[in-house]
Every structure is written in structure tokens, then in C-alpha cells.
């Protein structure tokens, strides 16, 4: 007489996700969205973050292949571990080390007496942890100099602007994670006629003061 066939369940380890990454467009000083590749037969994912204080969006039951981490600290490197899971076992892990961006520079301002028909000087408060600053503006002025990336000081003079144009100047702080959200300041360059008149008045004042 034949017996009943036995059913044996074997614990088969799930592989780690092939890749994990932070979406650059979501990366800020306080949050980031991370995503990873799907693992076949995974029912959910375990997401662990260090340092973990104040962070939301991690946990033992993430049912998608992405999550948004909030409550992060600016200019801080986080270690993020993702493991697939199902009712049988927890799988291998994939690890991401990611810095948060810096906060935006504060108190960006135009130094009024530097405004001419083609030049302006701006200043802002230093951002702790910044390796440099990035300046852009709208509308674009391809011939302008003094903007761009790699700026080390918190004061910049931009030359080669067009006369009698309203510009919006953006200043961002840069670290290993990239550029922060920018802060902006508006300025209008002088007309050429107005700039020449001001130069004439300055020359007249120097002439009169010399007597």
C-alpha cells in the first residue's frame, strides 16, 4: 500500500536588490526619495536608516520599491539598507550611502552702490559645510562672467550683463550631494544713459572736492 507523498517546504533565500539609488530631483536638506530594483517573490521590503533619529519613511513593511525619507539632517551622510522579505525568509541587503543637501543660503542681497549698466555685486551669509557656491540667473546672459559654480567666497561681482534688464539671481550652496535649493534676489541694471549721467556726476563731485 502506497503512502501519501510528503510536502517539504525549503527556505530559499531571496537575493538582494540589484541596485539602489536616491532620486536626484527629490534630494533636499531634509528629505530624499530612494528606490531599488524589484526582487522576484518578495512580498515587502525592510528599509533601515542610520542615523535613524527623527527619520520617517523607513520600516519593516514597505510594499513598494521606493520610499521617501523625511526628517533628515542637512549635510549628513545616511546609510540606507534595503532587504526583500516574504513569509519564508528575509533576503540579502543592498546598501546606499547618501549625503543630504545643504540648506539654502540666507540673506542674499544686492550691494546697491555697485549696480551699473553691466555689473552688479551680490552678497549672502555663509552656509556651514559648503564646499562652494553656485550662481545662476534669469534671463541668461552667456557673456556674463563671475557666475557659475566653484565660487568660494560669499560675495560675487557679476560683469557683462545687459543694460536696463531685470535679472533674478539665484545662489545655491554646494556639498557632496550637489547644489541646495537656491535663494534668489532681484536686480535691474541701469540704462546706459543713466549710468553715463551718474559717472559724469561723480566726476564733477571729484573736481569740486579737489578745490
Amino acid at each position: 500500500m502506497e503512502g501519501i507523498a510528503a510536502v517539504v517546504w525549503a527556505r530559499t533565500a531571496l537575493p538582494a536588490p540589484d541596485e539602489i539609488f536616491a532620486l536626484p530631483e527629490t534630494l533636499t536638506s531634509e528629505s530624499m526619495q530612494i528606490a531599488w530594483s524589484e526582487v522576484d517573490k518578495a512580498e515587502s521590503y525592510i528599509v533601515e536608516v542610520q542615523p535613524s533619529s527623527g527619520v520617517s519613511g523607513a520600516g519593516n513593511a514597505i510594499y513598494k520599491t521606493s520610499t521617501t525619507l523625511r526628517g533628515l539632517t542637512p549635510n549628513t551622510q545616511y546609510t540606507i539598507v534595503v532587504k526583500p522579505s516574504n513569509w519564508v525568509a528575509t533576503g540579502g541587503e543592498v546598501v546606499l550611502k547618501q549625503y543630504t543637501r545643504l540648506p539654502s543660503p540666507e540673506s542674499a542681497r544686492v550691494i546697491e552702490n555697485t549696480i551699473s549698466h553691466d555689473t552688479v555685486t551680490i552678497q549672502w551669509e555663509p552656509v556651514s559645510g559648503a564646499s562652494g557656491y553656485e550662481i545662476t540667473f534669469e534671463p541668461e546672459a552667456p557673456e556674463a562672467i563671475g557666475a557659475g559654480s566653484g565660487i568660494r567666497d560669499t560675495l560675487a561681482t557679476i560683469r557683462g550683463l545687459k543694460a536696463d534688464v531685470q535679472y533674478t539671481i539665484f545662489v545655491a550652496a554646494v556639498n557632496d550631494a550637489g547644489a541646495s535649493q537656491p535663494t534668489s534676489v532681484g536686480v535691474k541694471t541701469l540704462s546706459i544713459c543713466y549710468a553715463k549721467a551718474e559717472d559724469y556726476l561723480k566726476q564733477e563731485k571729484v573736481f569740486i572736492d579737489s578745490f
Side-chain angles (χ1 to χ4, degrees), residues 30-189:
E30 298 177 347
S31 65
M32 70 175 84
Q33 184 177 1
I34 60 168
W36 53 92
S37 53
E38 185 176 3
V39 174
D40 186 40
K41 294 183 173 60
E43 296 171 354
S44 63
Y45 297 88
I46 298 168
V47 178
E48 301 169 347
V49 180
Q50 290 294 333
S52 60
S53 178
V55 178
S56 65
N60 295 329
I62 307 296
Y63 294 99
K64 301 184 296 182
T65 55
S66 66
T67 188
T68 298
L69 304 176
R70 295 183 172 87
L72 307 178
T73 301
N75 195 36
T76 300
Q77 187 183 61
Y78 285 87
T79 300
I80 303 155
V81 176
V82 174
K83 296 178 282 190
S85 179
N86 61 17
W87 71 275
V88 176
T90 297
E93 63 183 40
V94 64
V95 180
L96 171 69
K97 293 183 181 292
Q98 177 65 55
Y99 271 93
T100 48
R101 296 188 196 270
L102 292 164
S104 303
E106 295 183 353
S107 303
R109 56 201 178 275
V110 173
I111 300 176
E112 294 294 334
N113 60 6
T114 68
I115 302 173
S116 73
H117 68 287
D118 65 351
T119 302
V120 63
T121 297
I122 61 171
Q123 191 171 22
W124 58 93
E125 297 302 313
V127 177
S128 178
S131 59
Y133 299 91
E134 183 178 273
I135 296 177
T136 56
F137 44 86
E138 293 180 355
E140 294 182 358
E143 297 179 359
I145 59 174
S149 58
I151 296 168
R152 302 296 181 183
D153 201 356
T154 56
L155 182 144
T157 298
I158 302 170
R159 299 179 174 87
L161 301 173
K162 295 181 179 179
D164 199 26
V165 173
Q166 178 71 42
Y167 287 95
T168 301
I169 303 174
F170 302 93
V171 183
V174 178
N175 69 350
D176 288 343
S180 70
Q181 290 293 316
T183 188
S184 64
V185 60
V187 61
K188 186 174 183 179
T189 50

